[in-house]
Amino acid sequence: MYRAPVEAIIRTLNAMGLKDILDQDLAESLSPDLVRAVLAEAARFAGEEIAPLAGIGDVEGARLENAVVTTPKGWPALYRRWCEGGWNALAAPTQWGGQGLPMMLSVAALEMWNSASMAFALGPTLTMGAVEALERHASDALRQTYMEKLVSGEWMATMNLTEPQAGSDLGALRTRAERAGDGTYRIFGQKIFITYGEHDLTENIVHMVLARLPDAPAGSKGISLFLVPKFLVGEDGSLGPRNDVFCASIEHKLGLHASPTCTMIYGDGRFGDEPGAVGWLVGEENRGLACMFTMMNNARLAVGMEGVAVAEAAYQKALAYAKERRQGRAPGWSGEGMSPIAAHPDVKRMLLSMKSLAEISRAITYSCAHAVDMARLAEPERRTHWQERANLLTPVAKAFATDAGVEAASLGIQVHGGMGFIEETGAAVYYRDIRVAPIYEGTNGIQAIDLVTRKLPQSGGDHVRGYISELRRDVETMRGSNMPEFAEAGMALTAGLDDLEQATEHLLSLMEEGNMEIALCGATPYLRLFALAAGNVLISRAAVSSSDAGLARLCRFAAENHLGETASLKRAVMTGGESLLAAADGLEEMA
């Protein structure tokens, strides 16, 4: 059974910046004791209430009948208890009933929910993103009508982007909006892959829908964002008639069985007096993508937390199994009979690799959350710096952490051996659930493109250069810590940063020269290089700041066993583009 690693979470939070926030009194009324109390209760709820229902959710799944989706047994009551605990409102604005706590604390709790059940945590994740989007972009009237119910979790929200012909390219979407003449709009179209588009957890569902007006410019510049509720809301806040939107089908998926992935139909006349789902504009006409990106950036960090969570949970399960399962006699085993497989060097390597992936991913994602917090809490003259830091780390947090979750879940199955391929052990469910995370909220390839083309050039490249310099200072601090584990690791960390710096300058030069195709050939290996070089330094920072000898030993293992990958990744970035394009020209001939 999953048990939240509260001490590791607190250690990483403090090292990635929460301690600084507390020391500078930037988070009103928040203290170390309150942080510990919040996380301890979150850990209890995740382990004792969510985790026991995860298996039921996976086996029963969500069911659709007559446009009504039923979630697994016990889930509606579980969701109500979760809301009653105030968890949906953790980082939400106090003006609307939220607790206004730092994003760092929210993502730490989000890690626990996802470790306990990724399928359960998905729904509230989107609501949190919608709250941020409405807070920044919606009219006062919309906020007055919807924010309190969304912040409390009494209502849930969705994000409606994808259509059959418009996946990553949102400029191709066809869902249309028509002005109704009374300040509202009528929405017509189809959306696919809509997480929790229909369910029985809340009485109303608030859809955030991208659509195109008749006179809109072509492409992504002609997209608007609309709020479309399942039930219309009266002036007194009570629910009124059903809106003209419904779930036509749910997907049968590799994993996340309890999370309904819906095809949503808008405006076909099934509900309402006349065709057309009633919607309200969020932000300005034809500026919807900018509004939606507020929600998407929130969701991308949250998806990164799914990777951290699954890596941690898969590691815990694999470790427990390896300590019980006995096979052969490991070198140096002095006990009677067969030794636990955890005593075999290759199994030790797999377990340490899983733990390293979890720790590195946690450090990167928490560091990203700290930047998000500081972009709001810092002195005005420093907010641009912190916003650029959040921009830089968001694609890395989303892509590397989700890849790490997949890798750790796969290693967890390997540790279980043949039993890992058997559903009854529960090892396979982590892989089945997390495999979608590198795909949704922008594929990891798109995250790499975003990192290279949009985030590296911030401030003319000076921001990323400054970040690498900060990481070098961390290494110097580590080397001066007198922790023996870092004598050799320090050289590996410096070499990794050297590789990162050279690859960064190479990509910046390519883009300055206009050689975008070659630059993009190296985008994916560059993102992994960035994450490995930075992430290993970040966990060394955590080890030094906490004087944690166990983490220091893990840092040395990761540096000496995995950080060498940065050299080959640098070669792929700097010299692999031409060979990629040349080989790709012959793909059809290879078939």
Side-chain angles (χ1 to χ4, degrees):
M1 184 67 72
Y2 165 71
R3 184 174 182 179
V6 174
E7 294 304 320
I9 286 172
I10 292 175
R11 175 191 66 206
T12 308
L13 283 172
N14 285 332
M16 297 309 118
L18 183 61
K19 186 176 185 299
D20 293 338
I21 289 176
L22 298 178
D23 289 346
Q24 297 172 40
D25 291 325
L26 297 178
E28 194 174 325
S29 72
L30 188 64
S31 66
D33 288 343
L34 181 56
V35 168
R36 183 172 293 276
V38 169
L39 294 177
E41 176 56 21
R44 185 206 65 78
F45 195 95
E48 296 180 11
E49 304 208 36
I50 300 179
L53 292 181
I56 294 173
D58 183 59
V59 173
E60 288 189 9
R63 303 181 302 281
L64 173 69
E65 186 174 353
N66 296 326
V68 175
V69 169
T70 303
T71 56
K73 181 181 178 181
W75 279 46
L78 170 65
Y79 179 76
R80 286 194 297 272
R81 295 195 302 274
W82 186 82
C83 290
E84 289 165 0
W87 298 114
N88 198 70
L90 208 61
T94 55
Q95 177 185 358
W96 307 107
Q99 299 174 46
L101 295 175
M103 178 65 71
M104 293 190 81
L105 206 55
S106 180
V107 297
L110 196 60
E111 176 188 331
M112 300 184 202
W113 315 140
N114 278 286
S115 285
S117 172
M118 183 175 159
F120 176 82
L122 263 178
T125 294
L126 294 170
T127 305
M128 295 172 191
V131 165
E132 184 174 357
L134 292 174
E135 172 68 11
R136 291 195 187 185
H137 303 291
S139 66
D140 288 340
L142 280 182
R143 289 199 293 263
Q144 290 291 340
T145 302
Y146 291 96
M147 283 290 280
E148 286 188 7
K149 296 291 181 68
L150 289 172
V151 166
S152 69
E154 185 176 342
W155 296 347
M156 284 175 65
T158 71
M159 183 163 54
N160 284 239
L161 288 74
T162 307
E163 300 177 10
Q165 80 294 336
S168 300
D169 184 1
L170 294 175
L173 67 80
R174 295 173 186 160
T175 296
R176 73 182 195 277
E178 298 178 358
R179 300 177 185 91
D182 60 357
T184 65
Y185 297 76
R186 298 297 178 267
I187 313 299
F188 302 86
Q190 175 185 345
K191 297 290 185 178
I192 63 172
F193 301 157
I194 308 306
T195 299
Y196 278 87
E198 171 63 25
H199 56 80
D200 58 358
L201 301 185
T202 60
E203 60 181 358
N204 204 9
I205 303 171
V206 180
H207 303 291
M208 307 291 284
V209 185
L210 289 180
R212 190 182 301 279
L213 290 160
D215 53 357
S220 60
K221 294 182 179 180
I223 297 174
S224 300
L225 177 63
F226 300 90
L227 183 154
V228 185
K230 177 180 176 180
F231 287 96
L232 302 178
V233 182
E235 292 184 4
D236 62 354
S238 63
L239 295 185
R242 177 73 182 264
N243 207 353
D244 194 14
V245 53
F246 72 96
C247 173
S249 65
I250 60 175
E251 304 295 343
H252 299 279
K253 311 186 296 290
L254 175 69
L256 296 178
H257 295 156
S259 169
T261 302
C262 304
T263 296
M264 304 299 297
I265 305 297
Y266 291 85
D268 80 335
R270 177 164 181 166
F271 296 98
D273 296 331
E274 57 186 39
V278 181
W280 285 262
L281 182 69
V282 178
E284 302 175 21
E285 290 185 355
N286 306 322
R287 296 293 301 271
L289 210 53
C291 300
M292 184 61 86
F293 267 115
T294 297
M295 189 172 180
M296 289 177 67
N297 283 333
N298 181 295
R300 285 172 174 175
L301 176 55
V303 170
M305 295 315 305
E306 294 171 2
V308 179
V310 169
E312 174 65 38
Y315 163 73
Q316 289 189 20
K317 181 173 282 292
L319 177 63
Y321 180 82
K323 291 164 70 174
E324 295 177 357
R325 174 67 168 168
R326 293 177 176 269
Q327 288 285 284
R329 289 182 65 84
W333 174 250
S334 58
E336 295 183 3
M338 295 185 291
S339 60
I341 63 171
H344 290 274
D346 189 59
V347 176
K348 292 179 180 179
R349 177 189 57 79
M350 289 190 286
L351 291 169
L352 287 168
S353 295
M354 295 173 73
K355 185 60 173 172
S356 300
L357 288 166
E359 291 286 355
I360 290 171
S361 299
R362 183 180 290 125
I364 292 171
T365 50
Y366 286 14
S367 185
C368 181
H370 173 248
V372 172
D373 282 326
M374 293 302 291
R376 176 176 58 90
L377 299 173
E379 294 296 324
E381 63 271 16
R382 292 286 292 165
R383 289 178 186 174
T384 297
H385 165 85
W386 284 111
Q387 186 58 58
E388 289 192 349
R389 179 62 50 83
N391 295 343
L392 179 70
L393 294 180
T394 294
V396 181
K398 192 277 181 183
F400 179 80
T402 54
D403 282 342
V406 172
E407 188 176 345
S410 181
L411 283 170
I413 293 173
Q414 190 72 17
V415 170
H416 281 75
M419 296 304 294
F421 203 64
I422 305 300
E423 289 290 351
E424 284 76 6
T425 65
V429 68
Y430 293 120
Y431 186 86
R432 289 192 286 102
D433 283 355
I434 196 60
R435 188 59 190 84
V436 72
I439 298 171
Y440 61 20
E441 297 305 337
T443 67
N444 285 0
I446 288 174
Q447 303 304 317
I449 293 170
D450 179 47
L451 173 64
V452 169
T453 63
R454 295 187 181 92
K455 306 310 169 52
L456 293 191
Q458 292 180 127
S459 297
D462 286 343
H463 188 88
V464 68
R465 293 185 182 106
Y467 183 58
I468 294 171
S469 296
E470 290 177 28
L471 295 173
R472 289 192 185 280
R473 289 195 291 272
D474 278 327
V475 175
E476 291 306 310
T477 299
M478 178 205 70
R479 283 179 157 171
S481 68
N482 297 319
M483 297 183 79
E485 293 82 5
F486 289 137
E488 296 295 328
M491 291 188 291
L493 291 169
T494 298
L497 291 177
D498 290 343
D499 292 334
L500 175 60
E501 185 171 41
Q502 293 169 34
T504 300
E505 294 298 337
H506 178 73
L507 289 174
L508 288 170
S509 295
L510 286 174
M511 287 186 288
E512 187 176 349
E513 296 164 2
N515 199 345
M516 190 62 68
E517 187 175 28
I518 291 293
L520 291 181
C521 287
T524 291
Y526 176 79
L527 187 149
R528 185 170 179 86
L529 164 56
F530 187 110
L532 287 173
N536 275 276
V537 173
L538 292 178
I539 62 171
S540 77
R541 177 197 297 175
V544 170
S545 64
S546 62
S547 300
D548 189 318
L551 182 58
R553 290 192 292 272
L554 185 70
C555 291
R556 179 187 174 191
F557 163 82
E560 296 182 6
N561 287 271
H562 296 300
L563 196 53
E565 187 182 343
T566 61
S568 61
L569 290 167
K570 181 188 74 173
R571 284 195 297 273
V573 171
M574 298 184 69
T575 64
E578 292 185 6
S579 62
L580 186 158
L581 295 176
D585 286 340
L587 280 175
E588 291 187 6
E589 299 172 7
M590 300 178 201

